[in-house]
Amino acid sequence: MSLAAAITGTRQTEHRELIWFSDLFDRYLSPWATPDARFYIGGARGIDSLSLLWLAGNTVSRLTVVVPGMVAQQPAEARQAIERCRDRIDDIVELGAAELQTPAFHARNRYMVDRTDMTLGFPLDGAEGGSGTWQTINYAAVQGKPRLIVPV
């Protein structure tokens, strides 16, 4: 049986070394990264870009990148990660939001969760808050879907 998982996480990753994230993904993404698995990844900087690069370089799982507007509107770090992984990305979904405001990001998050079996969340370590990461995790909970939460 194939698994579809949404990945969500903080954009703030400067507080850790890249090798730390590589080790983290090796531990928490690799068990799910089978050849028939599909990962839905938001096209932002931070966890989105880092997990995309790790999955593309270390797995044969299928990858779908979802952006709220167009890829060209994403931050430079995210656009570069998408370009580097273009040959490994199966689908890029551009939701075409006219304005990249909170409702567009929430729509992107719901799109990913609605198409997956579980959510892998990498929120910034600390209290649960109103971030997009927690919004996505909580939306998955309301949908009755399993969540793996790994604070970073």
Side-chain angles (χ1 to χ4, degrees):
M1 177 169 70
S2 64
L3 171 81
I7 295 176
T8 185
T10 182
R11 292 182 181 139
Q12 299 174 29
T13 56
E14 302 81 19
H15 63 292
R16 304 274 188 198
E17 298 291 327
L18 289 177
I19 190 70
W20 190 90
F21 288 103
S22 180
D23 292 343
L24 181 84
F25 296 147
D26 190 51
R27 176 172 286 192
Y28 293 105
L29 293 183
S30 64
W32 310 105
T34 63
D36 59 344
R38 175 177 298 276
F39 290 93
Y40 284 77
I41 308 159
R45 65 182 188 86
I47 291 294
D48 289 357
S49 294
L50 293 174
S51 64
L52 173 61
L53 290 165
W54 188 88
L55 287 163
N58 295 283
T59 76
V60 295
S61 298
R62 295 171 292 158
L63 308 175
T64 298
V65 174
V66 183
V67 297
M70 306 299 284
V71 169
Q73 295 171 293
Q74 295 306 109
E77 176 184 330
R79 289 191 319 270
Q80 290 166 2
I82 291 167
E83 189 56 37
R84 280 184 57 192
C85 300
R86 183 110 17 211
D87 64 328
R88 281 283 291 113
I89 297 171
D90 293 287
D91 296 303
I92 296 177
V93 178
E94 297 175 307
L95 296 176
E99 294 185 32
L100 298 184
Q101 302 293 327
T102 300
F105 294 107
H106 287 187
R108 185 231 14 228
N109 299 342
R110 289 189 307 270
Y111 180 96
M112 294 192 314
V113 170
D114 288 347
R115 286 156 179 77
T116 58
D117 306 305
M118 71 177 300
T119 295
L120 304 165
F122 298 91
L124 194 60
D125 196 13
E128 182 176 331
S131 69
T133 301
W134 280 109
Q135 182 273 333
T136 307
I137 292 166
N138 292 333
Y139 181 72
V142 169
Q143 299 302 310
K145 295 184 178 186
R147 286 103 36 225
L148 174 64
I149 303 168
V150 183
V152 299

